Amino acid sequence: EVQLVQSGAEVKKSGESLKISCKASGYSFSSDWIGWVRQMPGKGLAWMGIIYPADSDTRYSPSLQGQVTISADKSSSTAYLQWSSLRASDTAMYYCARPNVIRGGITRVDYWGQGTPVTVSS
Amino acid sequence: QSALTQPPSASGSPGQSVTISCTGTSSDVGGYSSVSWFQQNPGKAPKLMIYEVNKRPSGVPDRFSGSKSGNTASLTVSGLQAEDEADYYCSSYAGTDNLGVFGGGTKLTVL
């Protein structure tokens, strides 16, 4: 059974750094893309980026390029989403997800983590 | 990449059918057969309900169906049940090296 288990809720202040995690199980972690989706309070879903753990090929949403870092650790089957300096506008629910990717584009998403709420105060 | 356009709300009485639309462009919805629909309950992760326009994952009731015409995809929920009340999001493949796009979401209310 495929499972994506995310780290717990975070409360931070503007300017602080943060790294949240998503531990995968039930499939070959290195051989499938994994990514992060942001849902701001009361808003819709938006892809932040995806990574292919086997070679660390990472694709970011153009609107978020440079604002976050996505990484993966094959030894622990864990994906990460990292900020070096948080802003109040980063307050959101963050989901990890396993997308099906064809030619660098996402066709569908079968599996989702439970979500990690991040609150950033100014 | 602009979000796909969904109506903010839809409603129906138990037993009725309701259809939610999702309008994109020829660069996403109209250009490919990779439209998905997700159901999201409050505080929960999205759940895949329809993929590749009209296919249902195992375990999804056949009351849920999908279709597409031109640049607009649709999700139809037949025989509405109280448990169908949730937010619904569409998404579409948008080409090579494009992460894809979501709709803004539709809140379905069962009256």
Side-chain angles (χ1 to χ4, degrees):
Chain A
E1 178 194 9
V2 173
Q3 286 194 316
L4 302 175
V5 179
Q6 298 183 226
S7 51
E10 300 279 359
V11 179
K12 293 287 190 178
K13 295 183 178 179
S14 291
E16 291 185 331
S17 63
L18 176 64
K19 192 173 188 178
I20 62 175
S21 65
C22 171
K23 183 169 177 59
S25 61
Y27 71 99
S28 177
F29 179 74
S30 292
S31 304
D32 273 322
W33 292 84
I34 189 166
W36 293 93
V37 175
R38 181 178 71 181
Q39 186 168 36
M40 301 176 77
K43 302 298 184 181
L45 305 166
W47 280 104
M48 301 181 73
I50 56 175
I51 186 168
Y52 192 71
D55 60 7
S56 295
D57 183 5
T58 309
R59 316 289 179 92
Y60 292 96
S61 165
S63 63
L64 288 171
Q65 183 87 39
Q67 297 182 31
V68 295
T69 301
I70 293 172
S71 60
D73 178 1
K74 292 181 290 186
S75 67
S76 63
S77 297
T78 301
Y80 298 96
L81 177 64
Q82 183 175 3
W83 295 260
S84 59
S85 180
L86 286 161
R87 301 181 281 193
S89 58
D90 292 318
T91 294
M93 179 71 83
Y94 293 89
Y95 293 101
C96 68
R98 195 187 83 167
N100 186 53
V101 177
I102 295 178
R103 293 186 300 277
I106 294 169
T107 60
R108 76 177 202 243
V109 182
D110 290 329
Y111 299 99
W112 297 75
Q114 83 276 19
T116 296
V118 173
T119 302
V120 183
S121 62
S122 52
Chain B
Q1 185 78 36
S2 299
L4 305 175
T5 301
Q6 297 181 233
S9 63
S11 63
S13 299
Q16 288 186 332
S17 293
V18 64
T19 297
I20 299 170
S21 63
C22 169
T23 302
T25 70
S26 58
S27 296
D28 38 63
V29 174
Y32 308 97
S33 295
S34 291
V35 176
S36 298
W37 288 91
F38 299 93
Q39 178 190 66
Q40 187 179 35
N41 288 297
K44 300 294 186 181
K47 174 187 175 184
L48 181 66
M49 305 299 284
I50 296 287
Y51 67 99
E52 292 177 9
V53 177
N54 55 16
K55 297 179 181 177
R56 280 186 310 276
S58 174
V60 172
D62 60 7
R63 301 184 293 102
F64 291 86
S65 61
S67 63
K68 191 187 80 163
S69 177
N71 295 337
T72 298
S74 299
L75 172 71
T76 298
V77 186
S78 305
L80 268 176
Q81 299 182 4
E83 68 201 47
D84 300 331
E85 187 162 292
D87 293 327
Y88 290 84
Y89 293 90
C90 61
S91 73
S92 176
Y93 179 76
T96 301
D97 294 327
N98 189 313
L99 294 182
V101 63
F102 286 101
T106 298
K107 182 175 182 58
L108 174 60
T109 301
V110 180
L111 301 171

